Amino acid sequence: MSYSNRRNRRVLRDADLMLYGRDLERSAINALVDGAREARGGVLVLRGRAGAGKSALLEDAVAAAGGVRALRATGVESEFELPFAALHQLLRPVLSDVDRLPAPQASALGMAFGLASNAQDNRFLVSVAVLGILDQLAEESPVLCVIDDAQWLDDASASALEFVARRVDADRIALLFGARDGDVRRFSAPGLPELRVDGLDAEAGGQLLAEQVGVPIPPEVLNRLMEATGGNPLALVELHSLITPGQLSGREPLPWPLPITDAVQRIFVQRVRRLPELTQRLLLVAAADETSRLATVLAAAAELGVPAAALDPAEHADLVAIQSGQLAFHHPLVRSSVYQSATDAERRSVHRALSEVLVEETDADRRAWHLALATVRPDESVVQLLEQTAVRAGVAAASKRPAWLWSVPQN
Ligand SMILES: Nc1ncnc2c1ncn2[C@@H]1O[C@H](COP(=O)(O)OP(=O)(O)OP(=O)(O)O)[C@@H](O)[C@H]1O
Ligand SMILES: [Mg+2]
């Protein structure tokens, strides 16, 4: 079956492997592997955010690559300071072939992997040796090296693999990397061909959700869910357990902010937690502020002693973007995760700061709500403010509350 006529059908190659959509990504990977079969080796780096579906595509690639020898490695956060740790993972199944390499290469690799002592520590020779081993393997069958979580590769392994990737164009060797974007570490690999893995399209997202819940989802509900998750497969997979059948069928309103599981929250918060403390506080201010006005966020941050410069690491980490005086989270899940993972006290302090800077008459309602959220038990003055808000609005005060603040989680 060709990729084109699999369009948006679930691909079941083995019991564990099930993908919706992704025609474009699959054909690019297919072309890479076909190239290796025909001694036109190559490399492709899949880049995308947490939960975007990179690992799923790598699994799919291995399962689809019939007659190809697959070697696999995964960057491990705790090992990124250990030189050659990832290379060791990749080549462990074929280490017996080291002896067939020219002696200087064999000893350089032996030294790198701690198999030999007194040998020369020569990273160039190690890289040549890796190419040599893969070449030997490729005489028997095409070779596909699949390296996931490349952002956590130790530098020595990353350099060796990049060296190899630039020299396989006439070999039966392909390298396929998966690299998470927006983490504190980045797999830079300048010049290597890349493919972005974004959220699923509405059709594939709908199919994934429908499979999870067992019934089709009405288009308006699906639109809301796709918008809130950015089509992120991980969030979609986890979502169904948090939403009632009535909400999914459109009979009851969806909760807001959309709940996310601890697993999804952890994955997005991890990136935030590695940023400097002041930057994290600033992000919490931004998450609690629904105006998205940079000036408001910075003013409230200043109230908390956080300077504007604290925003830079968050921008560099690709978590927020600033344009025309607006501060936007790059992914809706980052905002929910930042807000929901904060402690109650932390949230109260940022709401207080926001209430103090929202002094314009047009912001009176917002000020009142932030003040209410800053207070454990609203005192008389806050209650009065809220009542004024209600009178001004001429409707239930509640309706003026920013929609996404509706279900403030309790810690
Ligand atoms: N196209 C798809 N169809 C069905 N399920 C998918 C698809 N893509 C991803 N998934 C599922 O979504 C979840 C997240 O995908 P995956 O683990 O591949 O993300 P990732 O990009 O590798 O994330 P991370 O950066 O955290 O490693 C998994 O449960 C996976 O099986
Ligand atoms: Mg992954």
Side-chain angles (χ1 to χ4, degrees):
M1 195 195 300
S2 76
Y3 281 117
S4 54
N5 59 19
R6 281 193 193 125
R7 188 169 155 66
N8 279 346
R9 281 173 44 202
R10 186 160 190 136
V11 176
L12 253 174
R13 290 205 186 86
D14 69 37
D16 296 318
L17 201 69
M18 298 159 276
L19 292 187
Y20 287 114
R22 300 306 195 199
D23 292 354
L24 193 138
E25 293 82 353
R26 283 203 189 109
S27 20
I29 294 170
N30 214 19
L32 175 80
V33 177
D34 281 349
R37 287 196 175 97
E38 294 156 14
R40 287 181 290 106
V43 55
L44 186 63
V45 181
L46 301 183
R47 286 196 188 279
R49 292 174 182 282
K54 304 175 293 296
S55 300
L57 279 164
L58 298 187
E59 290 297 330
D60 184 64
V62 172
V68 170
R69 169 100 191 230
L71 295 175
R72 308 188 62 169
T74 301
V76 182
E77 189 170 355
S78 57
E79 291 187 357
F80 81 85
E81 290 187 81
L82 302 179
F84 299 116
L87 212 49
H88 185 251
Q89 250 191 71
L90 188 79
L91 297 182
R92 219 155 82 117
V94 295
L95 278 184
S96 55
D97 289 353
V98 171
D99 293 344
R100 289 164 55 204
L101 290 171
Q105 293 176 30
S107 66
L109 205 57
M111 171 82 181
F113 292 163
L115 302 173
S117 55
N118 300 325
Q120 218 186 344
D121 177 8
N122 184 327
R123 295 198 173 189
F124 172 70
L125 271 183
V126 171
S127 302
V128 176
V130 176
L131 188 56
I133 287 204
L134 296 179
D135 268 336
Q136 285 173 10
L137 290 174
E139 282 168 18
E140 294 153 25
S141 61
V143 178
L144 173 65
C145 298
V146 176
I147 301 113
D148 202 359
D149 288 335
Q151 74 279 4
W152 293 118
L153 287 180
D154 60 274
D155 291 341
S157 298
S159 316
L161 289 169
E162 285 173 47
F163 175 95
V164 170
R166 292 180 213 289
R167 287 166 179 77
V168 292
D169 50 339
D171 292 305
R172 296 205 297 166
I173 301 171
L175 294 96
L176 180 60
F177 292 89
R180 187 190 277 180
D181 264 354
D183 223 309
V184 275
R185 271 179 71 92
R186 188 167 192 276
F187 178 58
S188 58
L192 298 190
E194 297 186 357
L195 183 65
R196 278 210 58 78
V197 181
D198 288 319
L200 294 177
D201 61 29
E203 190 178 353
Q207 287 170 317
L208 177 55
L209 263 175
E211 181 197 81
Q212 304 288 323
V213 296
V215 289
I217 317 282
E220 62 282 6
V221 177
L222 181 61
N223 285 346
R224 285 277 308 280
L225 298 179
M226 292 297 286
E227 193 188 321
T229 58
N232 183 280
L234 179 67
L236 290 173
V237 165
E238 306 249 333
L239 197 61
H240 78 283
S241 61
L242 303 167
I243 295 182
T244 65
Q247 289 167 335
L248 278 167
S249 66
R251 280 180 279 115
E252 297 162 21
L254 286 168
W256 200 263
L258 217 55
I260 50 178
T261 59
D262 287 351
V264 175
Q265 180 168 308
R266 227 181 0 260
I267 222 162
F268 280 89
V269 163
Q270 266 172 10
R271 293 159 54 195
V272 175
R273 291 286 173 254
R274 293 195 191 100
L275 297 172
E277 206 178 304
L278 290 179
T279 306
Q280 292 186 38
R281 209 175 309 161
L282 202 147
L283 285 181
L284 181 58
V285 176
D289 161 64
E290 94 291 5
T291 68
S292 300
R293 290 192 305 241
L294 179 62
T296 304
V297 171
L298 291 183
E303 290 286 318
L304 297 166
V306 180
L311 197 54
D312 295 351
E315 260 193 292
H316 290 142
D318 214 16
L319 285 163
V320 294
I322 292 155
Q323 208 177 18
S324 319
Q326 295 288 109
L327 185 157
F329 281 89
H330 260 300
H331 199 290
L333 291 170
V334 176
R335 179 195 208 131
S336 334
S337 302
V338 167
Y339 192 77
Q340 295 189 17
S341 68
T343 66
D344 205 31
E346 286 167 341
R347 283 196 292 258
R348 280 202 305 276
S349 74
V350 301
H351 283 299
R352 177 163 301 283
L354 282 162
S355 75
E356 278 163 16
V357 299
L358 289 166
V359 290
E360 297 295 325
E361 188 50 33
T362 46
D363 284 328
D365 299 348
R366 287 198 177 97
R367 180 167 66 246
W369 281 117
H370 282 298
L371 207 49
L373 291 169
T375 319
V376 184
R377 263 198 204 89
D379 64 20
E380 196 45 40
S381 62
V382 175
V383 171
Q384 262 180 25
L385 256 177
L386 289 173
E387 278 169 4
Q388 286 164 18
T389 298
V391 171
R392 248 197 322 276
V395 291
S399 68
K400 279 307 217 185
R401 184 177 184 174
W404 64 273
L405 281 177
W406 262 115
S407 47
V408 177
Q410 299 303 306
N411 280 356

